[in-house]
Each structure stands twice: as structure tokens, then as C-alpha cells.
Amino acid sequence: MLVVMKAQATPEQIRAVCEYIEHLGFRAHPLPGAQRTAIGITGNKGEVDRGNLEELSGVAEVIRVSKPYKLASRDVKEEDTVVRFAGTDAAIGGRNLAIVAGPCSIESREQAFAIAEQVAAAGAQFFRGGAYKPRTSPYAFQGLGIEALRIMAEIRDRFGMRIVTEAIDSESLELVAEWADVIQIGARNMQNFSLLKKAGRLRKPVLLKRGLSATLEEFLMSAEYVMSEGNYEVILCERGVRTFADHARNTLDLSIIPAVQRLSHLPILVDPSHGTGRRDSVLPMARAAVAAGADGIIVEVHHQPEKALSDGPQSIHPAQFASMLNELEQIAPVVGRTLPRGIHVNAVVG
Ligand code: PEP
Ligand code: MN
């Protein structure tokens, strides 16, 4: 259910409607829009009686949302969500493309800094690096944990880039939320509902990767889990799905971009690295992703991919990353976008 407030509704009227909803045992999610505020109602206690709600002052109308995902749906919020990063000019969603780059895993301070320096010089606003790695084999490198989080915090201080890193369980979630700027929830955890709910109780943006065989509805329902707990800053990420195709690690499903944009207001990034598993396929798919309307790219970059402890074969060289940005910069205006170069910290954002 969605309560649409009148354009001239006062903050007190909005608060009173939220209190009434909560008093009924439901949860109220005020969602301010350009024209008016809408209040999403969620809860698992059955239907809300719309009659009384319509009587409250400041209410324009009460609408039933038929989709299983509510807060993630465009029915509830028409305008695109833009996730902003306080004190910087960086954003995910909106006109500017977001570029997230860095190694699959943080392997050492030297490795992380060598890569960070080059992706920052090329103009990346976000740095990625795994501290906690969900590996297929328990004998494969599992990540440096807290040490990696500390290294990435140093990278943020030095280069300004905001940090994106994965949390794999409750323990790492708390640490990632404390040290990083964006909490990545990986493909393998897309339906870890207790982890999603926990991330929903935090106030840090969540980058939610599509599960290995998730449908669009399942993907949006996972976003809904995070949002249902009050964290509305969810960034979706297409990273390829399992198919019969064996020429690539996964099949990058770019057709999900327009489908997501039709149904949801949430931004969507594309990961051409995990999406293909092959260095030579990363650039063409990154180009295609921007052309298809993605809000940005998350890509693995390594200065010595042959020595990488994870995902070396799909990691591009820093020089390839720099030329990728040059190409994306040219494609961007065709689809009404701009590719910002570098991040301005403490910039006055107008
Ligand atoms: C990653 O980003 O390194 C990663 C493990 O991604 P995914 O969850 O998409 O496999
Ligand atoms: Mn990886």
C-alpha cells in the first residue's frame, strides 16, 4: 500500500500519517519525491484498512501496490534513485556514470596502492577490493580481512576514492559498514535473507549483485529485503548468470538493464569482469553496458594479473582501464550521460 501525500502536505501531516501507520503495527517508509512525498506501507500482518488513511489530513490518495516488491518499485517512487556520497561530488545513479575499479582481492598494501594509484590517475571515483572472499574452494585465498579494510581506508585518505567491498556474513558486515563506503553483497549471498535484513538496518549504501541464477523478480525482492528495513540506498549490479554457454565464465545479461529501469527506480551497475571471466571480453561488454543504459561499471583491474591471488584471467591492466574510460567517455553522451574524471572531496555540491 502506498499513501500519496498532497503536494502541499506539511512535515507534521507526513509525520502524523507515519505514526498512524506504525500504530497499526505496520512500517511506514516516507519517500520524498520532487513533487510530493509518498509513504510506503510494509509489514506482514495482512491488509491495511485504506478508508481511515484516506481521511487523514494531507493525504491525496491511497494506492494498492500490486507488485511483490514495493519499495524497490517505480510504482512507489517514480524518480530514479541517486546514491550520493557526503562531502564529495560522487554519485551512483543520475547523469554521471559511476566507475568502480580495483583488484578482485586486496593482496598486500603494495599491490593495492600500485593499482589504486593508476585507477585514480585514470579518473575512477570508486575503488573496489575484496577483503573477505567467497571462494569456491576452502583452500583458495580467502582475503586479508580487517587488514585489507585498513589498507582501503588508507587508499580513500590518499586518493579520495570511495571504497566498495564485500561483506560475506554478519561479522564481516559490521566491519565493512564501519570501514567502507559501500557494502557489496555478492552473487552467492543475494538470497541470504538474514544478511540482507542486517544490511537494511545499516545506513550505508548496499551494492547488491545478482545471484548466479536469479530472475529479475528474485533480484528485486532481495533489494526489497534491504529496503524493508529502512535502508533505501540499494545499487543493483548485473554480473552474469549461469547458462549453457561455455565460451565465457557467465553470460552477461545486459537485457536486464532496461527491464530493471522499467520496473524499479534503483540504479544498476554492470560487472563485465565476472560477467565474462575473460580479459579480452571486458572492454566490449563495458562499452555495451554503457550503451544499454547502465549507471556505471564495476571492473577488476590488476597491475600483475598473472600473479593475482584471485580472478587474474579476467583482470584488465591499468593501461587497458585508462583506455576503457576514454572509450566510455565517448559513448556516454550518446545515451545522455557524462563520465566524470576523479573525485572532488569536500567539494561544494550545487
Ligand atoms: C567480486 O566482486 O569479486 C565477486 C566475488 O563478485 P560476485 O559476487 O559477483 O561473484
Ligand atoms: Mn573477483
Side-chain angles (χ1 to χ4, degrees):
M1 207 81 102
L2 180 71
V3 180
V4 181
M5 300 299 292
K6 291 179 181 155
Q8 66 276 20
T10 65
E12 291 72 41
Q13 288 172 329
I14 295 169
R15 204 171 321 120
V17 173
C18 290
E19 276 166 16
Y20 179 73
I21 294 165
E22 305 264 343
H23 152 86
L24 293 176
F26 294 91
R27 183 154 184 165
H29 304 266
L31 307 157
Q35 309 299 328
R36 79 252 177 319
T37 291
I39 303 168
I41 306 177
T42 61
N44 52 13
K45 297 200 178 81
E47 284 279 308
V48 195
D49 178 4
R50 64 202 287 166
N52 292 332
L53 276 168
E54 271 163 349
E55 300 300 311
L56 298 179
S57 60
V59 173
E61 56 176 333
V62 179
I63 300 169
R64 225 185 93 78
V65 181
S66 55
K67 305 256 177 20
Y69 39 88
K70 316 281 178 197
L71 303 169
S73 162
R74 264 210 204 276
D75 296 353
V76 164
K77 182 170 178 270
E78 221 172 289
E79 300 108 76
D80 291 341
T81 286
V82 180
V83 177
R84 297 182 196 284
F85 295 83
T88 78
D89 60 347
I92 302 180
R95 191 180 157 84
N96 282 349
L97 291 176
I99 305 292
V100 186
C104 178
S105 301
I106 300 296
E107 300 165 8
S108 68
R109 193 172 179 281
E110 292 65 39
Q111 172 251 16
F113 267 77
I115 299 164
E117 187 166 9
Q118 299 199 59
V119 298
Q125 294 188 321
F126 298 89
F127 184 74
R128 62 149 291 152
Y132 301 92
K133 298 303 301 176
R135 304 302 300 280
T136 305
S137 162
Y139 310 119
F141 179 60
Q142 305 283 310
L144 297 181
I146 179 85
E147 191 186 335
L149 297 178
R150 290 207 179 96
I151 293 168
M152 286 188 281
E154 262 191 73
I155 285 175
R156 175 179 49 220
D157 290 347
R158 169 91 158 268
F159 302 102
M161 291 183 291
R162 301 295 103 168
I163 304 301
V164 181
T165 193
E166 180 169 354
I168 53 171
D169 50 24
S170 325
E171 208 183 336
S172 54
L173 179 66
E174 280 177 28
L175 290 165
V176 166
E178 186 185 329
W179 289 85
D181 301 291
V182 177
I183 303 160
Q184 178 174 321
I185 300 215
R188 290 155 195 82
N189 269 317
M190 189 206 81
Q191 286 192 315
N192 182 340
F193 301 120
S194 67
L195 189 65
L196 296 174
K197 282 202 223 175
K198 276 211 163 113
R201 286 181 218 121
L202 301 170
R203 290 296 167 268
K204 277 270 161 94
V206 172
L207 174 72
L208 178 65
K209 296 188 108 183
R210 182 181 180 186
L212 275 68
S213 63
T215 63
L216 172 56
E217 187 165 303
E218 287 164 344
F219 193 15
L220 293 176
M221 288 309 286
S222 291
E224 188 76 15
Y225 259 97
V226 177
M227 300 174 86
S228 69
E229 295 289 335
N231 186 351
Y232 309 121
E233 298 199 304
V234 179
I235 302 146
L236 302 171
C237 178
E238 162 60 29
R239 47 79 71 209
V241 289
R242 288 264 166 93
T243 67
F244 53 83
D246 59 3
H247 60 277
R249 180 176 175 184
N250 290 297
T251 296
L252 190 65
D253 178 17
L254 294 180
S255 71
I256 203 167
I257 299 169
V260 159
Q261 290 169 342
R262 193 163 57 240
L263 298 171
S264 176
H265 52 84
L266 296 173
I268 178 162
L269 300 184
V270 168
D271 175 348
S273 309
H274 295 88
T276 64
R278 296 177 55 104
R279 183 172 311 122
D280 62 359
S281 299
V282 170
L283 174 61
M285 297 317 281
R287 285 190 206 115
V290 170
D295 293 296
I297 301 292
I298 174 166
V299 63
E300 290 184 342
V301 181
H302 202 293
H303 66 316
Q304 293 172 321
E306 62 295 341
K307 293 194 184 152
L309 295 181
S310 61
D311 287 349
Q314 69 192 31
S315 300
I316 58 172
H317 297 276
Q320 291 177 308
F321 174 68
S323 58
M324 180 178 108
L325 291 197
N326 291 338
E327 295 193 17
L328 299 185
E329 188 168 42
Q330 293 178 61
I331 297 169
V334 179
V335 286
R337 303 284 188 141
T338 309
L339 185 96
R341 297 286 191 150
I343 184 165
H344 298 97
V345 180
N346 294 324
V348 181
V349 185

